[in-house]
Amino acid sequence: MSKALANVPVDPHALCISDIERLAAPRMTLQTASYYNDGADSGTTLRENISAFSKYRIRPRVLRDISVIDTSVEIFGHKNTLPLGVAPTAMQCLAHPDGEKATARASRKAGIIMGLSSFATTTLEEVADESQDNPNVLQLYLFEEREHSRKLIARAKKAGYKAVFLTVDTPVLGRRNLDIRNKFTLPKPWKIANFEEDNDSDAVNAVMSGSSSASGGSSAVSESTAGYHDGTKRVPPSGKIRFHTHAPNPTLNWERDIAWLKQECGPEMQVWVKGIATAEDTELAIHYGVDGIVVSNHGGRQLDGALATLDALPEVVEAAKGRVPVHVDGGVRHGTDIFKALALGCDMVWIGRPVLWSLAYRGQEGVELCLALLAAEFERCMALAGVTSVSQIDKSYLVKMDAAGFPHKL
């Protein structure tokens, strides 16, 4: 038995991620739970991100010596304990007062790379301090007003971040009905920490269009204006940096923006694109020189009815042909899900909501538990499937179930 399997924290109330999800629910406000858990429109893609894994079954091999198993992979020169990263998710202090700091400490302890959202409630420097030698990547919304993005990139380089993950699936915001219904705002004392110098007011940061300030007075939205086209030219967003006004950028394009971003990141940080779902965009990403791809649909929060990420993955992997690493996020809830995604050709997976639920459940200890559970589940899956290293996992270990319930080799 390996160290990972032997040292899984025993919490009889939380033996799997679904237990943690259930335990987290009463520990979050209605607004927070809705913000974290909601998908776009009817939530079809959100649900299918999870259910897509059930289309596949594992073909285990036996009578192989699996007494020594190595679950690690290398990323950015770092030996990552698992082929798994902690995805960048916004405003983690809503789940627990320690927020991103707790996540960084837990990730460091587990030896697992952490992504930080631009719209975090903790500065990127504070997260880097907590991470120490454990690597971080910065999720980036490339603003129309480039100076805001330029300053953020420069700070990330100085703090030692390894890469920028450019979110490319948000030219406009998906419609998130629960946020609108619940009038979601970021309550005091929390702020969008990485842009505090640009937001000198202590007003509540409204997140979704139509939200009003908690005071019931003037709307926080009025302090920030979304970009628009006036009939002759594009007028960029103005005012304080808010998610609903500044994060969506309908002007982004391959030709101009990837080149600009690569120049700004320089040799210190790689440039990845997060939100790819097709072979065509994979080819374009490689053509314009990105360093890596994350297959993502924003956790089912953007285009409802889009492909589940696991369903999109094989097409992207085939198009990439090993020229750049391909990662995937969305719907991972168990170690067997990690195995299935790897068997379909990705190099790593990222998890978002399980970390948020774990923060809400028990802060740093909750995130440590989450990562330990997934590590043990993945290693046990490897053992029972008959593999001893991540590099051995390929599509020969999977079958896909058809609509009639019959398995087919890939």
Side-chain angles (χ1 to χ4, degrees):
M1 180 179 293
S2 74
K3 184 178 179 181
L5 287 174
N7 294 332
V8 179
V10 177
D11 182 340
H13 303 292
L15 299 175
C16 58
I17 298 302
S18 60
D19 283 347
I20 295 176
E21 178 182 8
R22 173 179 50 80
L23 291 163
R27 290 169 167 83
M28 295 185 286
T29 66
L30 175 63
Q31 280 196 345
T32 295
S34 298
Y35 175 70
Y36 286 161
N37 295 333
D38 196 21
D41 295 303
S42 65
T44 300
T45 301
L46 171 66
R47 292 188 297 273
E48 290 185 353
N49 274 351
I50 299 170
S51 64
F53 287 92
S54 66
K55 299 175 185 177
Y56 296 91
R57 301 288 187 271
I58 297 169
R59 298 178 66 244
R61 301 296 304 278
V62 298
L63 291 178
R64 294 177 167 185
D65 183 351
I66 50 88
S67 57
V68 178
I69 293 177
D70 182 6
T71 63
S72 68
V73 295
E74 187 173 299
I75 180 169
F76 306 127
H78 164 75
K79 186 177 181 180
N80 213 57
T81 306
L82 294 172
L84 176 141
V86 171
T89 52
M91 295 178 272
Q92 293 183 14
C93 285
L94 291 172
H96 188 277
D98 291 342
E100 292 88 357
K101 290 183 180 181
T103 301
R105 291 193 291 266
S107 298
R108 182 190 74 216
K109 187 173 180 179
I112 288 175
I113 188 172
M114 175 186 169
L116 183 72
S117 170
S118 292
F119 284 83
T121 38
T122 307
T123 67
L124 64 86
E125 291 85 358
E126 291 173 304
V127 169
D129 287 344
E130 295 289 353
S131 298
Q132 298 179 15
D133 60 350
N134 198 54
N136 298 122
V137 299
L138 176 68
Q139 175 274 335
L140 184 73
Y141 292 102
L142 189 53
F143 296 151
E144 291 185 64
E145 295 175 297
R146 292 296 176 80
E147 188 57 28
H148 295 307
S149 297
R150 182 179 285 111
K151 288 191 293 185
L152 196 63
I153 292 166
R155 287 169 55 194
K157 283 200 289 188
K158 185 176 179 181
Y161 281 63
K162 301 298 184 182
V164 158
F165 280 19
L166 175 66
T167 293
V168 294
D169 58 6
T170 317
V172 297
L173 283 183
R175 183 176 177 87
R176 303 167 194 174
N177 292 329
L178 290 182
D179 286 340
I180 298 169
R181 183 172 295 124
N182 296 328
K183 298 180 179 179
F184 177 75
T185 60
L186 179 60
K188 295 180 180 180
W190 312 122
K191 296 177 181 293
I192 302 302
N194 284 316
F195 304 111
E196 192 171 358
E197 65 183 58
D198 299 296
N199 297 336
D200 54 8
S201 169
D202 64 353
V204 173
N205 291 334
V207 175
M208 297 304 298
S209 180
S211 300
S212 60
S213 68
S215 66
S218 62
S219 170
V221 174
S222 66
E223 301 174 5
S224 182
T225 303
Y228 61 96
H229 199 279
D230 67 3
T232 58
K233 66 181 183 303
R234 175 75 182 172
V235 179
S238 61
K240 299 181 188 302
I241 295 174
R242 300 287 187 256
F243 180 77
H244 72 282
T245 53
H246 287 70
N249 184 350
T251 72
L252 287 181
N253 67 71
W254 291 107
E255 294 84 356
R256 179 188 63 236
D257 296 313
I258 299 300
W260 182 89
L261 189 56
K262 285 176 67 68
Q263 181 177 357
E264 290 298 318
C265 289
E268 297 93 340
M269 291 197 301
Q270 293 187 12
V271 173
W272 290 48
V273 284
K274 178 178 178 291
I276 299 297
T278 65
E280 294 90 338
D281 282 336
T282 300
E283 289 289 352
L284 284 168
I286 294 171
H287 173 76
Y288 286 101
V290 305
D291 298 296
I293 287 170
V294 182
V295 179
S296 177
N297 54 37
H298 218 100
R301 294 162 67 83
Q302 281 297 102
L303 175 60
D304 195 34
L307 280 169
T309 49
L310 195 73
D311 291 334
L313 177 61
E315 175 181 335
V316 173
V317 168
E318 183 177 0
K321 296 182 175 63
R323 291 173 287 176
V324 296
V326 175
H327 295 189
V328 67
D329 67 20
V332 174
R333 300 293 184 266
H334 194 275
T336 54
D337 295 339
I338 303 173
F339 187 97
K340 290 175 181 180
L342 294 172
L344 289 175
C346 78
D347 299 289
M348 256 182 63
V349 306
W350 294 76
I351 56 166
R353 287 184 177 95
V355 171
L356 298 173
W357 300 328
S358 301
L359 267 178
Y361 176 43
R362 284 175 55 190
Q364 178 182 340
E365 289 184 1
V367 180
E368 290 175 7
L369 175 63
C370 168
L371 298 177
L373 288 171
L374 289 169
E377 290 166 355
F378 178 62
E379 183 176 339
R380 185 175 289 106
C381 178
M382 286 179 64
L384 293 174
V387 300
T388 57
S389 70
V390 171
S391 63
Q392 295 171 354
I393 303 171
D394 61 27
K395 65 182 181 180
S396 69
Y397 287 90
L398 288 189
V399 294
K400 188 173 185 179
M401 310 303 291
D402 66 20
F406 292 101
H408 296 271
K409 288 185 179 181
L410 302 182

